[in-house]
Amino acid sequence: MSTEPETAPPAPPLPKKRVAVVFVVAAVLWGIDLLTKQIAVSTLEGKQPVEFLGGLVYFQLVRNPGAAFSMATGLTWVLALVAVVVVVAIVWLARRLRSVGWAIGLGLVLAGALGNLTDRIFRAPGPLQGHVVDMISAFAPNGQGWAIFNVADSAICVGGVLIVILSLLGKDYDGSSTKDKKKAASE
């Protein structure tokens, strides 16, 4: 019979931090967004919508002073400020990330925020008033089938959906699971 006290098994090591994943995903998508906007401006300016995939997608240049679905068109500077807050929050949270899924999701949101913020700062009519370049119209030209959008908008949506799915599945940004936390609390 041993008189040594029972010790709990050591906790599993934490997953590696995923800061680099956030910034690589953000840099790649931000670059793609900037490139596609430049191509759209140089090839679609003053032209009719270009049908693609049998009318499933139309490419056309639209300069959007508002948010998604052209909401808040008079509040461009507020949208720019919100984007700055989002960027700062993601950079701050990135230091704590240990989940690859969350890192990808936040990287996508960061890329989208930076892409549209770049337009708001550097495009006409002026700093913090710039219009975002949109160029993809799904199902019909002129946004008649769906709102006209860009790569940054898509990145924000996909990143947001990924984060919601991870949250619903109980996967936390720190690599833990809410199911594991509940199990540990009940023991």
Side-chain angles (χ1 to χ4, degrees), residues 121-157:
I121 292 172
F122 296 108
R123 293 201 187 268
L128 299 180
Q129 298 173 25
H131 296 179
V132 172
V133 172
D134 290 332
M135 80 288 289
I136 304 167
S137 182
F139 312 119
N142 305 311
Q144 295 169 338
W146 188 257
I148 300 173
F149 58 96
N150 58 39
V151 172
D153 299 334
S154 298
I156 291 169
C157 291

Side-chain angles (χ1 to χ4, degrees), residues 107-121:
L108 289 167
V109 173
L110 180 59
L114 288 170
N116 288 338
L117 180 61
T118 301
D119 283 358
R120 294 189 195 287
I121 292 172

Side-chain angles (χ1 to χ4, degrees), residues 37-60:
K37 288 175 179 175
Q38 187 57 43
I39 291 169
V41 168
S42 65
T43 61
L44 299 173
E45 186 86 57
K47 296 186 178 164
Q48 292 296 317
V50 176
E51 185 178 319
F52 186 68
L53 297 174
L56 186 61
V57 175
Y58 290 82
F59 295 110
Q60 67 184 105

Side-chain angles (χ1 to χ4, degrees), residues 67-148:
F69 307 106
S70 295
M71 296 184 303
T73 55
L75 300 172
T76 304
W77 68 272
V78 173
L79 298 171
L81 183 60
V82 168
V84 168
V85 170
V86 168
V87 168
V88 169
I90 291 172
V91 169
W92 178 80
L93 183 61
R95 300 175 299 141
R96 294 171 172 75
L97 281 175
R98 293 183 182 277
S99 163
V100 173
W102 271 84
I104 292 169
L106 288 174
L108 289 167
V109 173
L110 180 59
L114 288 170
N116 288 338
L117 180 61
T118 301
D119 283 358
R120 294 189 195 287
I121 292 172
F122 296 108
R123 293 201 187 268
L128 299 180
Q129 298 173 25
H131 296 179
V132 172
V133 172
D134 290 332
M135 80 288 289
I136 304 167
S137 182
F139 312 119
N142 305 311
Q144 295 169 338
W146 188 257
I148 300 173

Side-chain angles (χ1 to χ4, degrees), residues 13-19 93-103 172-176:
L14 290 173
K16 293 190 313 188
K17 290 189 177 183
R18 306 298 181 179
V19 177
L93 183 61
R95 300 175 299 141
R96 294 171 172 75
L97 281 175
R98 293 183 182 277
S99 163
V100 173
W102 271 84
D172 287 338
Y173 69 92
D174 63 359
S176 65

